[in-house]
Amino acid sequence: MKAPCVRVERERGETTRRELAESDLIADDLEIVVEDDWLYVPITDPDAVPDGFKVVEHDVPTRETPDMPADILGFEPTYERLGDIVLIDEDDAERARDIADAIVASAFPVKTVLNRASKIKGKTRVRDWDVLAGDVTETVHREYGCEFALDVARVYFSPRLATERHRVAKQVEPDERAFDMFAGVGPFVIPFAKRDARVVGTDLNDVAVEYLRENARLNGVEDRVTAIAGDVRETTSEYEDWADRLVMNLPHSADKFLDTAVALTGDDCVIHYYDIQHEDDPFGPGETAIRAAAEPEYDVSVETRRDVRSYAPHELNVCLDVRLTR
Ligand code: SAM
């Protein structure tokens, strides 16, 4: 079948395969093909492939071994992989049990299968999980060459936002001063620091901040990362007027933190403002709120209006990249 593949010279094959595997980008159900001194590595998401790799459409055979969950079940289940944990979202208990059993019996290197048991909730945005297999909710997840230790039962983390985080991280320049107001375990902070920015991350959830510190060490960027536990409105006065870049990933409530954001903003700063709004006007409320908080002290210009994903029927999760210039 035709599939998106990274094409690479044979001699760079193993390094490339390892690099793509670290970011969980290899399509496990398809074979890697060698042809005319080129290796074709089938991938799951062409947009997520790091810069510098060539992506082409190529014919690759499907794996013959019946070792994927779909081969065992006879249908394609929906799941997300987070390190060696597999997350599913099934209301029907029997179907959830069947999917978990198939995942465990498959070739996936899986320790735990969890089923969503609640929406994300409260200030820390953590959800409840039913444990269907295994008992460990802590793992190390790899994303674009970064490693994130986390406990999915105690912190917020969504592997679905990997492409969006990478889009933002690519904009970061060395020596920038970046501030993540709702940092979690560091999926923005760590890649920013790996691009040589100086980064501050705050979070209300003490457990997330402990993981953020651990992840800074794990990725060798602890000298460029400052992690602060507590409410960002009360813990960051020493960073007033400081930031060249701000991340505000607290959709639904980010508007309530815009006064703090403007206080943190330096003379020229880009804010990545995440929001969830009705599809009829997904960007308008965010832009209005940012202008109300920042003008007339700052000129406000919207650089990007990005539809990140659908959140619920008629509701979109969006991002505004907004430049504030004093
Ligand atoms: N940026 C991370 C990510 O993309 O995975 C985490 C985003 S999560 C949607 C929002 C985070 O904001 C949670 O970890 C929560 O604990 C934190 N949070 C909520 N209210 C906060 C506040 N007042 N000050 C600091 N952090 C807060």
Side-chain angles (χ1 to χ4, degrees):
M1 65 180 284
K2 284 248 187 246
C5 296
V6 164
R7 189 181 78 162
V8 64
E9 296 89 347
R10 253 176 121 145
E11 52 275 19
R12 285 179 51 219
E14 183 48 25
T15 334
T16 303
R17 193 199 60 74
R18 227 179 298 131
E19 201 172 325
L20 295 170
E22 272 179 13
S23 302
D24 274 337
L25 280 170
I26 297 185
D28 301 320
D29 51 340
L30 300 172
E31 298 276 8
I32 296 175
V33 163
V34 184
E35 257 175 49
D36 301 332
D37 288 336
W38 293 102
L39 203 75
Y40 295 85
V41 185
I43 47 163
T44 50
D45 181 359
D47 291 337
V49 169
D51 293 342
F53 289 117
K54 172 104 180 141
V55 178
V56 297
E57 285 284 315
H58 196 75
D59 259 326
V60 284
T62 47
R63 277 187 190 277
E64 279 176 15
T65 44
D67 54 6
M68 297 300 288
D71 298 319
I72 298 164
L73 288 163
F75 63 87
E76 187 65 64
T78 305
Y79 56 83
E80 292 173 274
R81 287 171 69 179
L82 193 62
D84 50 17
I85 297 176
V86 177
L87 309 174
I88 64 173
D89 181 13
E90 287 297 332
D91 292 335
D92 181 306
E94 198 178 325
R95 187 177 152 99
R97 182 76 267 153
D98 289 348
I99 293 173
D101 290 346
I103 287 169
V104 170
S106 76
F108 283 179
V110 55
K111 276 206 185 120
T112 307
V113 182
L114 303 174
N115 192 16
R116 285 186 190 194
S118 75
K119 296 191 167 189
I120 54 170
K121 53 184 187 168
K123 288 186 177 165
T124 58
R125 316 307 290 144
V126 180
R127 75 168 85 240
D128 298 331
W129 298 96
D130 284 336
V131 181
L132 297 180
D135 53 10
V136 182
T137 52
E138 189 178 39
T139 190
V140 176
H141 181 67
R142 289 179 183 77
E143 188 175 290
Y144 290 100
C146 299
E147 291 186 85
F148 299 105
L150 63 106
D151 186 333
V152 68
R154 301 175 75 200
V155 300
Y156 172 92
F157 190 92
S158 173
R160 282 188 205 170
L161 298 176
T163 310
E164 168 58 16
R165 291 193 276 257
H166 187 55
R167 177 189 76 83
V168 173
K170 281 194 294 188
Q171 301 173 31
V172 172
E173 302 285 347
D175 291 328
E176 246 188 45
R177 298 193 290 198
F179 199 112
D180 187 345
M181 295 171 64
F182 312 104
V185 304
F188 287 100
V189 170
I190 302 300
F192 287 11
K194 283 191 121 183
R195 293 176 71 94
D196 286 333
R198 280 173 288 160
V199 198
V200 179
T202 57
D203 204 288
L204 201 59
N205 181 347
D206 293 347
V207 179
V209 174
E210 278 168 34
Y211 277 113
L212 172 55
R213 293 197 179 110
E214 181 179 339
N215 290 331
R217 286 191 293 275
L218 200 59
N219 291 275
V221 292
E222 65 271 39
D223 56 331
R224 294 195 284 287
V225 169
T226 304
I228 301 172
D231 186 323
V232 65
R233 290 170 292 203
E234 292 158 14
T235 50
T236 54
S237 52
E238 64 183 291
Y239 291 97
E240 277 177 17
D241 237 351
W242 183 84
D244 304 318
R245 187 178 302 280
L246 278 175
V247 179
M248 300 182 73
N249 184 15
L250 188 64
H252 290 303
S253 347
D255 57 330
K256 297 182 182 61
F257 293 82
L258 278 167
D259 288 345
T260 305
V262 172
L264 293 168
T265 294
D267 287 344
D268 184 35
C269 175
V270 174
I271 302 183
H272 305 282
Y273 179 91
Y274 290 88
D275 206 357
I276 289 173
Q277 294 290 346
H278 194 273
E279 63 189 3
D280 287 349
D281 185 17
F283 302 106
E287 182 174 345
T288 304
I290 294 168
R291 287 190 185 282
E295 288 174 339
E297 187 185 354
Y298 288 91
D299 281 340
V300 174
S301 75
V302 178
E303 298 195 332
T304 312
R305 291 178 178 82
R306 185 169 160 81
D307 179 353
V308 177
R309 61 174 170 160
S310 146
Y311 179 76
H314 308 295
E315 279 195 302
L316 298 176
N317 182 186
V318 295
C319 181
L320 285 161
D321 295 345
V322 182
R323 186 174 291 277
L324 267 51
T325 315
R326 206 191 297 269

